[in-house]
Amino acid sequence: MAVPLAYSWRNLRTRRLTTVLTAGGMALVVFVFTATLMLAEGLRQTLVATGSPGNAIVLRKGSETEVQSGIERQAAAAMTTRPEIALGRDGRTLAAEESVVLIGLTKKSTGKVSNVVIRGTQSASLPLRPQIRIIAGRLPRPGTSEIMVGKAVAKGFEGAGLGQSLRFGKRQWPVVGIFDAGMTGFSSEIWGDADQLMPAFGRNAYSIVLAGLREPGLFDAYKEAIEADPRLQAEVWRETRYYEKQSDMMRKFLTVLGVALTAIFSLGAMIGATITMYSAVANRVPEIGTLRALGFSRSSILAAFLLESIFLGLLGGIAGVGLAAGLSFVTFSTTNFQTFSELSFQFALTPWITGMALAFSVIMGIIGGFFPALRAARLNIVTALREG
């Protein structure tokens, strides 16, 4: 005969103070666990969303990032005339030769200098990134030193507002536009004319070639043609995979750090749950004896107290996930470990993370309540009734 579920739930409601305190400790642990996973997932989603599945990005062979890459003008011209590349509205191939460098700007929040990506673009760069839209000002005029900045840059760095100007490369660069790229890495970049930026930084080679394919299925053909040509010394990635790869190192670091912190904090939470359940068993010895006398088996008593502990963990889990959900509206700024540049992104709560967090809270409840439940199940009927 099984003990009703209502029995376990009623006992938690009866001991409101200890239930709230113990569940609160578990909630804090689940909050840390969930927030760390949300941080890593937000980083991954931001960088993956930066790329488009129909675009191919070409880098110099052996380069890990755009900043490290260099493609000579002659090689870049060969890469942008392939038949796999789509045509734009102007009838020209939808491909852009871009330069990518880092500059140091002063953060408004700390007054310290942080690296920001500045991207030299061409006319095809915007059509290849449809997620970008101007929210203030206008587009820079080709052939001038005008620049536009991402929303995150304008908000976070000094001198990057509309109508202001930045000094780098021994020149003044007026900010004529601010663009929003959604939750992508482009919002943390500065864009200007490639042919103006390259001489300013003493560069004769582009960093990458970005090609919009006529259809995604032509990627393998384009990749094979570029990588098979020994003169080009290049490698080709799908743009989505390239940016996902950029997030791997940082995402793994955040996940390992979060799991380590959670493991430490969870020990305290499980000890708290164990103490709470041992106290519950000690205060209900006569009650347990009565249940046994009424015919409830040892396994039923074990299950009842274990369910009580699981309910306790689940309450903490729901509260912890609820607290972490509030972070979904928070923008976090960090350094991209691959490029060492500033990157802004938001915490991302997914169904998978929610499920992981709740499962973790249930596991804490099981571990914290198992031995007290085992003690309750092993109580001698006669001894328990005599205490009553």
Coordinates of all heavy atoms in Angstrom, one line a residue, residues 231-273:
R231 N 47.3 28.4 -55.9 CA 47.7 29.8 -55.9 C 47.0 30.6 -54.9 O 47.5 31.6 -54.4 CB 47.4 30.4 -57.3 CG 48.1 29.7 -58.5 CD 47.5 30.3 -59.8 NE 46.1 30.0 -59.9 CZ 45.3 30.5 -60.8 NH1 45.8 31.4 -61.7 NH2 44.0 30.2 -60.8
L232 N 45.8 30.1 -54.4 CA 45.0 30.9 -53.5 C 45.3 30.7 -52.1 O 45.2 31.6 -51.2 CB 43.5 30.6 -53.7 CG 43.0 30.8 -55.2 CD1 41.5 30.5 -55.3 CD2 43.2 32.3 -55.6
Q233 N 45.8 29.5 -51.7 CA 46.2 29.2 -50.3 C 45.1 29.6 -49.4 O 45.3 30.4 -48.5 CB 47.5 29.8 -50.0 CG 48.7 29.2 -50.7 CD 48.9 27.8 -50.3 OE1 49.1 27.5 -49.1 NE2 48.9 26.9 -51.3
A234 N 43.9 29.1 -49.6 CA 42.7 29.6 -48.8 C 41.9 28.4 -48.3 O 42.0 27.3 -48.8 CB 41.9 30.6 -49.6
E235 N 41.1 28.7 -47.3 CA 40.1 27.7 -46.9 C 38.7 28.3 -46.8 O 38.6 29.5 -46.5 CB 40.5 27.0 -45.6 CG 40.7 28.0 -44.4 CD 41.3 27.2 -43.2 OE1 41.5 26.0 -43.3 OE2 41.4 27.9 -42.2
V236 N 37.7 27.6 -47.0 CA 36.3 28.1 -47.1 C 35.4 27.5 -46.0 O 35.5 26.3 -45.8 CB 35.7 27.8 -48.5 CG1 34.3 28.5 -48.6 CG2 36.6 28.3 -49.6
W237 N 34.6 28.4 -45.4 CA 33.7 27.9 -44.3 C 32.3 28.4 -44.7 O 32.2 29.5 -45.3 CB 34.1 28.5 -43.0 CG 35.4 28.0 -42.4 CD1 36.7 28.5 -42.8 CD2 35.6 27.0 -41.4 NE1 37.6 27.8 -42.0 CE2 37.0 26.9 -41.2 CE3 34.7 26.2 -40.7 CZ2 37.5 26.0 -40.3 CZ3 35.2 25.3 -39.8 CH2 36.6 25.2 -39.6
R238 N 31.3 27.7 -44.3 CA 30.0 28.3 -44.2 C 30.0 29.4 -43.2 O 30.6 29.2 -42.1 CB 28.9 27.3 -43.9 CG 28.6 26.3 -44.9 CD 27.3 25.5 -44.6 NE 27.1 24.4 -45.5 CZ 26.4 24.5 -46.7 NH1 25.9 25.7 -47.0 NH2 26.2 23.5 -47.5
E239 N 29.4 30.5 -43.5 CA 29.5 31.6 -42.5 C 28.9 31.3 -41.2 O 29.5 31.7 -40.1 CB 28.8 32.9 -43.1 CG 29.1 34.1 -42.4 CD 28.4 35.4 -42.9 OE1 27.4 35.2 -43.5 OE2 28.9 36.5 -42.6
T240 N 27.8 30.5 -41.1 CA 27.2 30.1 -39.9 C 28.2 29.3 -39.0 O 28.3 29.4 -37.8 CB 25.9 29.4 -40.1 OG1 26.1 28.4 -41.1 CG2 24.8 30.3 -40.6
R241 N 28.8 28.3 -39.7 CA 29.8 27.4 -39.0 C 31.0 28.2 -38.5 O 31.5 27.9 -37.4 CB 30.2 26.3 -39.9 CG 31.2 25.3 -39.3 CD 30.7 24.7 -38.0 NE 31.8 24.0 -37.3 CZ 32.1 24.1 -36.0 NH1 31.3 24.9 -35.3 NH2 33.1 23.5 -35.5
Y242 N 31.5 29.1 -39.3 CA 32.6 29.9 -38.9 C 32.4 30.7 -37.6 O 33.2 30.6 -36.7 CB 33.0 30.9 -40.0 CG 34.0 31.9 -39.6 CD1 35.4 31.6 -39.4 CD2 33.6 33.2 -39.3 CE1 36.3 32.6 -39.0 CE2 34.5 34.2 -38.8 CZ 35.8 33.8 -38.7 OH 36.7 34.8 -38.2
Y243 N 31.2 31.3 -37.5 CA 30.9 32.1 -36.3 C 30.6 31.2 -35.1 O 30.9 31.5 -34.0 CB 29.8 33.1 -36.6 CG 30.3 34.3 -37.3 CD1 29.9 34.5 -38.7 CD2 31.2 35.2 -36.8 CE1 30.4 35.6 -39.4 CE2 31.6 36.3 -37.4 CZ 31.2 36.5 -38.7 OH 31.7 37.6 -39.4
E244 N 30.0 30.0 -35.4 CA 29.7 29.1 -34.3 C 31.1 28.6 -33.7 O 31.2 28.5 -32.5 CB 28.9 27.9 -34.8 CG 28.6 26.9 -33.7 CD 27.8 25.7 -34.2 OE1 27.8 25.5 -35.5 OE2 27.1 25.1 -33.4
K245 N 32.0 28.4 -34.6 CA 33.4 28.0 -34.2 C 34.0 29.0 -33.3 O 34.8 28.7 -32.4 CB 34.2 27.7 -35.4 CG 35.7 27.2 -35.2 CD 36.3 26.7 -36.5 CE 37.8 26.5 -36.3 NZ 38.6 27.8 -36.3
Q246 N 33.7 30.3 -33.6 CA 34.3 31.4 -32.8 C 33.8 31.3 -31.4 O 34.5 31.8 -30.4 CB 33.9 32.7 -33.4 CG 34.5 33.0 -34.8 CD 36.0 33.0 -34.8 OE1 36.6 33.9 -34.2 NE2 36.6 32.1 -35.5
S247 N 32.6 30.8 -31.2 CA 32.0 30.8 -29.8 C 32.5 29.5 -29.0 O 32.3 29.5 -27.8 CB 30.5 30.7 -29.9 OG 30.0 29.5 -30.3
D248 N 33.1 28.5 -29.6 CA 33.4 27.3 -28.9 C 34.3 27.5 -27.7 O 33.9 27.0 -26.6 CB 34.1 26.3 -29.9 CG 33.1 25.7 -30.9 OD1 31.9 25.9 -30.7 OD2 33.6 25.1 -31.9
M249 N 35.4 28.2 -27.8 CA 36.3 28.3 -26.7 C 35.6 29.0 -25.5 O 35.7 28.5 -24.4 CB 37.6 29.0 -27.1 CG 38.6 29.1 -26.0 SD 40.1 30.1 -26.5 CE 40.7 29.1 -27.9
M250 N 35.0 30.1 -25.8 CA 34.4 30.9 -24.7 C 33.2 30.2 -24.1 O 33.0 30.2 -22.9 CB 33.9 32.3 -25.3 CG 33.4 33.2 -24.3 SD 34.7 33.9 -23.2 CE 33.8 35.1 -22.3
R251 N 32.4 29.5 -25.0 CA 31.3 28.7 -24.4 C 31.7 27.6 -23.5 O 31.1 27.4 -22.5 CB 30.5 28.2 -25.6 CG 29.2 27.5 -25.3 CD 28.3 27.3 -26.5 NE 29.0 26.8 -27.6 CZ 29.2 25.5 -27.8 NH1 28.6 24.6 -27.0 NH2 29.8 25.0 -28.9
K252 N 32.8 26.9 -23.9 CA 33.3 25.8 -23.1 C 33.8 26.3 -21.8 O 33.6 25.7 -20.7 CB 34.4 25.0 -23.8 CG 33.8 24.2 -25.0 CD 35.0 23.5 -25.8 CE 34.4 22.7 -26.9 NZ 35.5 22.1 -27.7
F253 N 34.5 27.5 -21.8 CA 35.0 28.1 -20.6 C 33.9 28.4 -19.6 O 34.0 28.1 -18.4 CB 35.9 29.3 -20.9 CG 36.3 30.1 -19.7 CD1 37.3 29.7 -18.9 CD2 35.6 31.3 -19.5 CE1 37.6 30.5 -17.8 CE2 35.9 32.1 -18.4 CZ 37.0 31.7 -17.5
L254 N 32.9 29.1 -20.1 CA 31.8 29.5 -19.3 C 31.0 28.3 -18.7 O 30.6 28.3 -17.5 CB 30.8 30.3 -20.1 CG 31.3 31.7 -20.5 CD1 30.3 32.4 -21.4 CD2 31.5 32.6 -19.3
T255 N 30.9 27.2 -19.5 CA 30.2 26.0 -19.1 C 31.0 25.3 -18.0 O 30.4 25.0 -16.9 CB 29.9 25.1 -20.2 OG1 29.2 25.8 -21.3 CG2 29.2 23.9 -19.8
V256 N 32.3 25.2 -18.2 CA 33.1 24.5 -17.2 C 33.1 25.3 -15.9 O 33.0 24.8 -14.8 CB 34.5 24.3 -17.7 CG1 35.5 23.9 -16.6 CG2 34.6 23.3 -18.8
L257 N 33.3 26.7 -16.0 CA 33.3 27.5 -14.8 C 31.9 27.4 -14.1 O 31.9 27.3 -12.8 CB 33.5 29.0 -15.2 CG 33.5 30.0 -14.1 CD1 34.6 29.8 -13.1 CD2 33.6 31.4 -14.7
G258 N 30.8 27.5 -14.8 CA 29.5 27.4 -14.2 C 29.3 26.1 -13.5 O 28.7 26.0 -12.4
V259 N 29.7 25.0 -14.1 CA 29.5 23.6 -13.5 C 30.3 23.5 -12.3 O 29.9 22.9 -11.3 CB 29.8 22.5 -14.6 CG1 29.9 21.2 -13.9 CG2 28.8 22.5 -15.7
A260 N 31.6 24.0 -12.3 CA 32.4 24.0 -11.1 C 31.8 24.7 -9.9 O 31.8 24.2 -8.8 CB 33.8 24.5 -11.5
L261 N 31.3 26.0 -10.2 CA 30.7 26.8 -9.1 C 29.5 26.1 -8.6 O 29.2 26.0 -7.4 CB 30.4 28.2 -9.7 CG 31.6 29.1 -10.0 CD1 31.1 30.4 -10.6 CD2 32.3 29.4 -8.7
T262 N 28.7 25.6 -9.6 CA 27.4 24.9 -9.2 C 27.7 23.7 -8.3 O 27.0 23.4 -7.3 CB 26.6 24.5 -10.4 OG1 26.4 25.6 -11.2 CG2 25.3 23.8 -10.0
A263 N 28.7 22.9 -8.6 CA 29.1 21.7 -7.9 C 29.4 22.1 -6.4 O 29.0 21.4 -5.5 CB 30.3 21.0 -8.5
I264 N 30.2 23.2 -6.3 CA 30.5 23.6 -4.9 C 29.3 24.1 -4.1 O 29.1 23.7 -3.0 CB 31.6 24.8 -5.0 CG1 32.9 24.3 -5.6 CG2 31.8 25.4 -3.6 CD1 33.9 25.4 -6.0
F265 N 28.5 24.9 -4.8 CA 27.3 25.5 -4.1 C 26.3 24.4 -3.8 O 25.5 24.4 -2.8 CB 26.6 26.6 -4.9 CG 27.5 27.8 -5.1 CD1 27.4 28.6 -6.2 CD2 28.4 28.1 -4.1 CE1 28.2 29.7 -6.3 CE2 29.2 29.3 -4.2 CZ 29.1 30.1 -5.3
S266 N 26.2 23.4 -4.7 CA 25.1 22.4 -4.6 C 25.4 21.5 -3.3 O 24.5 20.9 -2.8 CB 25.0 21.5 -5.8 OG 26.2 20.8 -6.0
L267 N 26.7 21.3 -3.0 CA 27.0 20.6 -1.8 C 26.3 21.2 -0.5 O 25.7 20.5 0.3 CB 28.5 20.5 -1.6 CG 29.3 19.6 -2.5 CD1 30.8 19.8 -2.3 CD2 28.9 18.2 -2.4
G268 N 26.4 22.5 -0.4 CA 25.8 23.2 0.7 C 24.2 23.0 0.6 O 23.6 22.8 1.7
A269 N 23.7 23.1 -0.6 CA 22.2 23.0 -0.7 C 21.7 21.6 -0.3 O 20.7 21.4 0.3 CB 21.8 23.3 -2.1
M270 N 22.5 20.6 -0.8 CA 22.1 19.2 -0.4 C 22.3 18.9 1.0 O 21.5 18.2 1.6 CB 22.9 18.2 -1.3 CG 22.5 18.2 -2.8 SD 23.3 17.0 -3.8 CE 24.9 17.6 -3.9
I271 N 23.3 19.5 1.6 CA 23.5 19.3 3.1 C 22.3 20.0 3.8 O 21.7 19.4 4.8 CB 24.8 19.9 3.6 CG1 26.0 19.1 3.1 CG2 24.8 20.1 5.1 CD1 27.3 19.7 3.3
G272 N 21.9 21.1 3.4 CA 20.7 21.8 3.9 C 19.4 21.0 3.8 O 18.6 20.8 4.8
A273 N 19.3 20.4 2.6 CA 18.1 19.5 2.4 C 18.2 18.3 3.3 O 17.1 17.8 3.9 CB 18.0 19.1 1.0

